[in-house]
CSV table of all heavy atoms in Angstrom, one decimal:
chain,number,residue,atom,x,y,z
A,153,GLN,N,115.6,96.5,51.7
A,153,GLN,CA,116.4,95.6,50.9
A,153,GLN,C,115.9,94.2,51.2
A,153,GLN,O,116.4,93.2,50.6
A,153,GLN,CB,117.8,95.7,51.3
A,153,GLN,CG,118.5,97.0,51.0
A,153,GLN,CD,119.8,97.2,51.7
A,153,GLN,OE1,120.2,96.4,52.5
A,153,GLN,NE2,120.6,98.3,51.2
A,154,GLY,N,115.0,94.0,52.2
A,154,GLY,CA,114.6,92.6,52.6
A,154,GLY,C,115.6,91.8,53.2
A,154,GLY,O,115.7,90.6,53.0
A,155,ARG,N,116.5,92.5,54.0
A,155,ARG,CA,117.7,91.8,54.6
A,155,ARG,C,117.6,91.7,56.1
A,155,ARG,O,117.0,92.6,56.7
A,155,ARG,CB,118.9,92.6,54.2
A,155,ARG,CG,120.0,91.8,53.6
A,155,ARG,CD,121.1,92.6,52.8
A,155,ARG,NE,121.5,93.9,53.5
A,155,ARG,CZ,122.4,94.0,54.4
A,155,ARG,NH1,123.1,92.9,54.8
A,155,ARG,NH2,122.8,95.1,54.8
A,156,LEU,N,118.1,90.6,56.6
A,156,LEU,CA,118.2,90.4,58.1
A,156,LEU,C,119.3,91.2,58.6
A,156,LEU,O,120.4,91.0,58.1
A,156,LEU,CB,118.2,89.0,58.4
A,156,LEU,CG,118.2,88.5,59.8
A,156,LEU,CD1,116.8,88.7,60.4
A,156,LEU,CD2,118.7,87.0,59.9
A,157,GLY,N,119.1,92.1,59.5
A,157,GLY,CA,120.2,92.9,60.1
A,157,GLY,C,121.1,91.9,61.0
A,157,GLY,O,120.6,91.0,61.6
A,158,LEU,N,122.4,92.3,61.0
A,158,LEU,CA,123.2,91.5,61.8
A,158,LEU,C,124.0,92.5,62.9
A,158,LEU,O,124.6,93.4,62.5
A,158,LEU,CB,124.4,90.8,61.0
A,158,LEU,CG,125.5,90.1,61.7
A,158,LEU,CD1,125.0,89.0,62.6
A,158,LEU,CD2,126.5,89.5,60.7
A,159,ILE,N,123.7,92.2,64.1
A,159,ILE,CA,124.4,93.1,65.1
A,159,ILE,C,125.5,92.2,65.8
A,159,ILE,O,125.2,91.1,66.3
A,159,ILE,CB,123.3,93.6,66.2
A,159,ILE,CG1,122.2,94.4,65.5
A,159,ILE,CG2,124.0,94.4,67.3
A,159,ILE,CD1,121.2,94.8,66.4
A,160,ALA,N,126.7,92.8,65.8
A,160,ALA,CA,127.8,92.1,66.4
A,160,ALA,C,128.1,92.6,67.8
A,160,ALA,O,128.0,93.8,68.1
A,160,ALA,CB,129.1,92.3,65.6
A,161,TYR,N,128.2,91.7,68.9
A,161,TYR,CA,128.5,92.1,70.3
A,161,TYR,C,129.9,92.0,70.5
A,161,TYR,O,130.5,90.9,70.2
A,161,TYR,CB,127.7,91.2,71.2
A,161,TYR,CG,127.9,91.4,72.6
A,161,TYR,CD1,127.2,92.3,73.4
A,161,TYR,CD2,129.1,90.9,73.2
A,161,TYR,CE1,127.5,92.5,74.8
A,161,TYR,CE2,129.4,91.1,74.5
A,161,TYR,CZ,128.6,91.9,75.3
A,161,TYR,OH,128.9,92.1,76.7
A,162,LEU,N,130.5,93.0,71.1
A,162,LEU,CA,131.9,93.0,71.6
A,162,LEU,C,131.9,93.4,73.0
A,162,LEU,O,131.2,94.5,73.3
A,162,LEU,CB,132.7,93.9,70.7
A,162,LEU,CG,132.8,93.6,69.2
A,162,LEU,CD1,133.3,94.8,68.4
A,162,LEU,CD2,133.7,92.3,69.0
A,163,THR,N,132.6,92.7,73.8
A,163,THR,CA,132.9,93.2,75.2
A,163,THR,C,134.0,94.3,75.1
A,163,THR,O,135.1,94.1,74.6
A,163,THR,CB,133.3,92.1,76.1
A,163,THR,OG1,132.2,91.2,76.3
A,163,THR,CG2,133.7,92.7,77.5
A,164,VAL,N,133.8,95.5,75.6
A,164,VAL,CA,134.7,96.6,75.5
A,164,VAL,C,136.0,96.2,76.4
A,164,VAL,O,135.8,95.6,77.5
A,164,VAL,CB,134.1,97.9,76.1
A,164,VAL,CG1,135.2,99.0,76.1
A,164,VAL,CG2,132.9,98.4,75.4
A,165,GLY,N,137.1,96.3,75.7
A,165,GLY,CA,138.3,96.0,76.5
A,165,GLY,C,138.8,94.6,76.3
A,165,GLY,O,139.6,94.1,77.1
A,166,TYR,N,138.0,93.8,75.5
A,166,TYR,CA,138.3,92.4,75.3
A,166,TYR,C,138.7,92.1,73.9
A,166,TYR,O,138.1,92.6,73.0
A,166,TYR,CB,137.2,91.5,75.7
A,166,TYR,CG,137.4,90.0,75.5
A,166,TYR,CD1,138.1,89.3,76.4
A,166,TYR,CD2,137.0,89.4,74.3
A,166,TYR,CE1,138.3,87.9,76.2
A,166,TYR,CE2,137.2,88.1,74.1
A,166,TYR,CZ,137.9,87.3,75.0
A,166,TYR,OH,138.1,86.1,74.8
A,167,PRO,N,139.7,91.4,73.6
A,167,PRO,CA,140.7,90.8,74.5
A,167,PRO,C,141.8,91.6,75.1
A,167,PRO,O,142.4,91.1,76.0
A,167,PRO,CB,141.3,89.6,73.6
A,167,PRO,CG,141.4,90.3,72.3
A,167,PRO,CD,140.3,91.1,72.1
A,168,ARG,N,141.9,92.9,74.7
A,168,ARG,CA,142.8,93.8,75.3
A,168,ARG,C,142.2,95.2,75.5
A,168,ARG,O,141.2,95.5,74.8
A,168,ARG,CB,144.1,94.0,74.4
A,168,ARG,CG,145.1,92.8,74.5
A,168,ARG,CD,146.3,93.1,73.8
A,168,ARG,NE,146.0,93.6,72.4
A,168,ARG,CZ,145.9,92.8,71.3
A,168,ARG,NH1,145.9,91.5,71.5
A,168,ARG,NH2,145.5,93.3,70.1
A,169,LEU,N,142.7,95.9,76.4
A,169,LEU,CA,142.1,97.2,76.8
A,169,LEU,C,141.8,98.1,75.5
A,169,LEU,O,140.8,98.7,75.4
A,169,LEU,CB,143.0,97.9,77.8
A,169,LEU,CG,142.5,99.3,78.4
A,169,LEU,CD1,141.1,99.0,79.0
A,169,LEU,CD2,143.5,99.7,79.3
A,170,ASP,N,142.8,98.2,74.6
A,170,ASP,CA,142.8,99.0,73.5
A,170,ASP,C,142.2,98.5,72.2
A,170,ASP,O,142.3,99.0,71.2
A,170,ASP,CB,144.1,99.7,73.2
A,170,ASP,CG,145.1,98.6,73.0
A,170,ASP,OD1,144.8,97.5,73.0
A,170,ASP,OD2,146.3,99.0,72.7
A,171,ALA,N,141.6,97.2,72.3
A,171,ALA,CA,141.3,96.4,71.1
A,171,ALA,C,140.0,96.9,70.5
A,171,ALA,O,139.9,96.7,69.2
A,171,ALA,CB,141.1,95.0,71.5
A,172,THR,N,139.1,97.5,71.2
A,172,THR,CA,137.8,97.7,70.8
A,172,THR,C,137.5,98.5,69.5
A,172,THR,O,136.8,98.0,68.5
A,172,THR,CB,136.9,98.2,71.9
A,172,THR,OG1,137.1,97.3,73.1
A,172,THR,CG2,135.4,98.4,71.6
A,173,PRO,N,138.1,99.7,69.4
A,173,PRO,CA,137.9,100.5,68.1
A,173,PRO,C,138.2,99.8,66.8
A,173,PRO,O,137.3,99.8,65.9
A,173,PRO,CB,138.7,101.8,68.3
A,173,PRO,CG,138.9,101.9,69.8
A,173,PRO,CD,139.0,100.5,70.3
A,174,ALA,N,139.3,99.0,66.8
A,174,ALA,CA,139.8,98.3,65.6
A,174,ALA,C,138.7,97.1,65.3
A,174,ALA,O,138.4,96.8,64.2
A,174,ALA,CB,141.1,97.7,65.8
A,175,LEU,N,138.2,96.5,66.5
A,175,LEU,CA,137.3,95.4,66.3
A,175,LEU,C,136.0,95.9,65.7
A,175,LEU,O,135.3,95.2,64.9
A,175,LEU,CB,137.1,94.7,67.6
A,175,LEU,CG,138.3,94.0,68.1
A,175,LEU,CD1,138.0,93.1,69.3
A,175,LEU,CD2,139.1,93.1,67.1
A,176,VAL,N,135.6,97.1,66.2
A,176,VAL,CA,134.3,97.7,65.7
A,176,VAL,C,134.4,97.9,64.2
A,176,VAL,O,133.5,97.5,63.4
A,176,VAL,CB,134.0,99.0,66.4
A,176,VAL,CG1,132.8,99.7,65.8
A,176,VAL,CG2,133.6,98.7,67.8
A,177,GLU,N,135.6,98.5,63.8
A,177,GLU,CA,135.8,98.7,62.4
A,177,GLU,C,135.8,97.4,61.6
A,177,GLU,O,135.1,97.3,60.5
A,177,GLU,CB,137.2,99.4,62.2
A,177,GLU,CG,137.4,100.0,60.9
A,177,GLU,CD,138.7,100.6,60.8
A,177,GLU,OE1,139.6,100.5,61.6
A,177,GLU,OE2,138.9,101.5,59.9
A,178,ALA,N,136.5,96.4,62.1
A,178,ALA,CA,136.5,95.1,61.5
A,178,ALA,C,135.1,94.5,61.3
A,178,ALA,O,134.7,94.0,60.2
A,178,ALA,CB,137.4,94.1,62.2
A,179,ALA,N,134.3,94.6,62.3
A,179,ALA,CA,132.9,94.1,62.3
A,179,ALA,C,132.1,94.8,61.3
A,179,ALA,O,131.4,94.2,60.5
A,179,ALA,CB,132.3,94.1,63.7
A,180,ALA,N,132.3,96.1,61.3
A,180,ALA,CA,131.4,97.0,60.4
A,180,ALA,C,131.8,96.6,58.9
A,180,ALA,O,130.9,96.7,58.0
A,180,ALA,CB,131.6,98.4,60.7
A,181,GLU,N,133.1,96.4,58.7
A,181,GLU,CA,133.5,96.0,57.3
A,181,GLU,C,133.3,94.6,56.9
A,181,GLU,O,133.3,94.3,55.7
A,181,GLU,CB,135.0,96.3,57.2
A,181,GLU,CG,135.3,97.8,57.2
A,181,GLU,CD,136.9,98.0,57.3
A,181,GLU,OE1,137.7,97.0,57.3
A,181,GLU,OE2,137.3,99.2,57.3
A,182,SER,N,132.8,93.8,57.9
A,182,SER,CA,132.6,92.3,57.5
A,182,SER,C,131.1,92.0,57.6
A,182,SER,O,130.8,90.8,57.9
A,182,SER,CB,133.4,91.5,58.5
A,182,SER,OG,134.7,92.0,58.6
A,183,GLY,N,130.2,93.0,57.5
A,183,GLY,CA,128.8,92.6,57.4
A,183,GLY,C,127.9,92.9,58.6
A,183,GLY,O,126.8,92.7,58.6
A,184,ALA,N,128.6,93.5,59.7
A,184,ALA,CA,127.7,93.9,60.8
A,184,ALA,C,127.0,95.2,60.5
A,184,ALA,O,127.6,96.2,60.0
A,184,ALA,CB,128.6,94.1,62.1
A,185,ASP,N,125.7,95.2,60.8
A,185,ASP,CA,124.8,96.4,60.4
A,185,ASP,C,124.8,97.4,61.7
A,185,ASP,O,124.4,98.5,61.5
A,185,ASP,CB,123.5,95.9,60.1
A,185,ASP,CG,123.5,95.1,58.8
A,185,ASP,OD1,123.8,95.6,57.8
A,185,ASP,OD2,123.1,93.9,58.8
A,186,ALA,N,125.1,96.8,62.9
A,186,ALA,CA,125.2,97.6,64.1
A,186,ALA,C,126.2,96.9,65.0
A,186,ALA,O,126.4,95.7,64.8
A,186,ALA,CB,123.8,97.8,64.6
A,187,ILE,N,126.6,97.6,66.0
A,187,ILE,CA,127.5,96.9,67.0
A,187,ILE,C,127.0,97.2,68.4
A,187,ILE,O,126.6,98.4,68.7
A,187,ILE,CB,129.0,97.5,66.9
A,187,ILE,CG1,129.4,97.7,65.4
A,187,ILE,CG2,129.9,96.7,67.7
A,187,ILE,CD1,130.0,96.5,64.8
A,188,GLU,N,127.0,96.2,69.2
A,188,GLU,CA,126.6,96.3,70.6
A,188,GLU,C,127.9,96.2,71.4
A,188,GLU,O,128.7,95.2,71.2
A,188,GLU,CB,125.7,95.2,70.9
A,188,GLU,CG,125.0,95.3,72.2
A,188,GLU,CD,124.2,94.0,72.5
A,188,GLU,OE1,123.7,93.3,71.6
A,188,GLU,OE2,123.9,93.7,73.8
A,189,LEU,N,128.1,97.2,72.2
A,189,LEU,CA,129.3,97.3,73.0
A,189,LEU,C,129.1,97.0,74.4
A,189,LEU,O,128.3,97.7,75.1
A,189,LEU,CB,130.0,98.7,72.9
A,189,LEU,CG,130.5,99.1,71.5
A,189,LEU,CD1,131.0,100.5,71.5
A,189,LEU,CD2,131.7,98.1,71.1
A,190,GLY,N,129.5,95.9,74.9
A,190,GLY,CA,129.2,95.5,76.3
A,190,GLY,C,130.1,96.1,77.2
A,190,GLY,O,131.4,96.0,77.2
A,191,ILE,N,129.7,96.9,78.2
A,191,ILE,CA,130.5,97.5,79.2
A,191,ILE,C,130.6,96.5,80.4
A,191,ILE,O,129.5,96.2,81.0
A,191,ILE,CB,130.0,98.8,79.8
A,191,ILE,CG1,129.9,99.8,78.6
A,191,ILE,CG2,130.9,99.4,80.9
A,191,ILE,CD1,129.2,101.2,79.1
A,192,PRO,N,131.7,95.9,80.7
A,192,PRO,CA,131.6,94.7,81.6
A,192,PRO,C,131.2,95.1,83.0
A,192,PRO,O,131.4,96.3,83.4
A,192,PRO,CB,133.0,94.2,81.6
A,192,PRO,CG,133.9,95.4,81.0
A,192,PRO,CD,133.0,96.2,80.1
A,193,PHE,N,130.5,94.2,83.6
A,193,PHE,CA,130.0,94.4,85.0
A,193,PHE,C,130.5,93.2,85.8
A,193,PHE,O,130.6,92.1,85.3
A,193,PHE,CB,128.5,94.5,85.0
A,193,PHE,CG,127.9,94.6,86.5
A,193,PHE,CD1,128.4,95.6,87.3
A,193,PHE,CD2,126.8,93.8,86.8
A,193,PHE,CE1,127.8,95.7,88.6
A,193,PHE,CE2,126.3,93.9,88.1
A,193,PHE,CZ,126.8,94.9,89.0
A,194,SER,N,130.8,93.4,87.1
A,194,SER,CA,131.3,92.3,88.0
A,194,SER,C,130.4,91.1,88.1
A,194,SER,O,130.8,90.1,88.4
A,194,SER,CB,131.7,92.9,89.3
A,194,SER,OG,130.6,93.6,89.8
A,195,ASP,N,129.0,91.4,88.0
A,195,ASP,CA,128.0,90.4,88.3
A,195,ASP,C,127.0,90.3,87.2
A,195,ASP,O,125.8,90.5,87.4
A,195,ASP,CB,127.4,90.6,89.6
A,195,ASP,CG,128.4,90.6,90.8
A,195,ASP,OD1,129.1,91.6,91.0
A,195,ASP,OD2,128.5,89.5,91.4
A,196,PRO,N,127.5,89.7,86.0
A,196,PRO,CA,126.6,89.7,84.9
A,196,PRO,C,125.6,88.5,84.9
A,196,PRO,O,125.9,87.5,84.3
A,196,PRO,CB,127.6,89.6,83.7
A,196,PRO,CG,128.7,88.9,84.3
A,196,PRO,CD,128.9,89.2,85.7
A,197,LEU,N,124.5,88.7,85.7
A,197,LEU,CA,123.7,87.5,86.0
A,197,LEU,C,122.8,87.0,84.9
A,197,LEU,O,122.2,85.9,84.9
A,197,LEU,CB,122.9,87.7,87.3
A,197,LEU,CG,122.1,89.0,87.4
A,197,LEU,CD1,120.8,88.9,86.7
A,197,LEU,CD2,121.8,89.2,89.0
A,198,ALA,N,122.7,87.8,83.8
A,198,ALA,CA,122.0,87.2,82.6
A,198,ALA,C,122.9,86.6,81.6
A,198,ALA,O,122.4,86.2,80.5
A,198,ALA,CB,121.1,88.4,82.0
A,199,ASP,N,124.2,86.5,81.9
A,199,ASP,CA,125.2,86.1,81.0
A,199,ASP,C,125.7,84.7,81.3
A,199,ASP,O,126.0,84.4,82.4
A,199,ASP,CB,126.3,87.1,80.8
A,199,ASP,CG,125.9,88.3,80.0
A,199,ASP,OD1,125.3,88.1,78.9
A,199,ASP,OD2,126.0,89.4,80.5
A,200,GLY,N,126.0,84.0,80.2
A,200,GLY,CA,126.7,82.6,80.4
A,200,GLY,C,128.1,82.8,80.4
A,200,GLY,O,128.7,83.9,80.6
A,201,ARG,N,128.8,81.5,80.4
A,201,ARG,CA,130.2,81.6,80.7
A,201,ARG,C,131.0,82.4,79.7
A,201,ARG,O,132.1,83.1,80.2
A,201,ARG,CB,130.7,80.1,80.5
A,201,ARG,CG,130.3,79.3,81.6
A,201,ARG,CD,130.8,77.8,81.6
A,201,ARG,NE,130.1,77.0,82.5
A,201,ARG,CZ,130.2,77.1,83.8
A,201,ARG,NH1,131.1,77.9,84.4
A,201,ARG,NH2,129.6,76.3,84.6
A,202,THR,N,130.8,82.5,78.5
A,202,THR,CA,131.6,83.2,77.5
A,202,THR,C,131.6,84.7,77.9
A,202,THR,O,132.8,85.3,78.0
A,202,THR,CB,131.0,83.2,76.1
A,202,THR,OG1,131.0,81.7,75.7
A,202,THR,CG2,131.9,83.9,75.1
Side-chain angles (χ1 to χ4, degrees):
Chain A
Q153 297 168 346
R155 231 160 43 85
L156 182 73
L158 174 61
I159 301 179
Y161 173 97
L162 297 163
T163 295
V164 179
Y166 177 82
R168 283 187 310 276
L169 184 57
D170 58 359
T172 303
L175 296 187
V176 170
E177 189 178 25
E181 288 172 1
S182 313
D185 300 294
I187 317 279
E188 194 184 332
L189 293 172
I191 304 177
F193 178 51
S194 53
D195 295 82
L197 49 78
D199 285 306
R201 288 183 192 288
T202 298

